[in-house]
Amino acid sequence: MPIIPLRPNDRIRMKKEHPCGGRIFTVIRVGSEVRVLCETCKRDMTLDRIKLEKSIQQVLSDKLD
Ligand SMILES: [Zn+2]
């Protein structure tokens, strides 16, 4: 299985919606667990990295300057 490179400030789109309906998250901290912030409701959550990688649909790497 390919490893998805993740860095703080990367934006990711998840396969499953957050309870608020949002799907875009910002990566805050990366380790064996990854902390992400929901861009829609601004709540953060910490996920096991393996689980997170499985639920990522796409990494939105384009930087919006
Ligand atoms: Zn949310």
Side-chain angles (χ1 to χ4, degrees), residues 18 20 38 41:
H18 200 228
C20 71
C38 174
C41 66

Side-chain angles (χ1 to χ4, degrees), residues 2-6 49 52-54 56 59:
I3 292 168
I4 300 171
L6 285 175
R49 171 143 193 168
L52 178 82
E53 289 194 7
K54 281 184 188 165
I56 291 176
V59 178

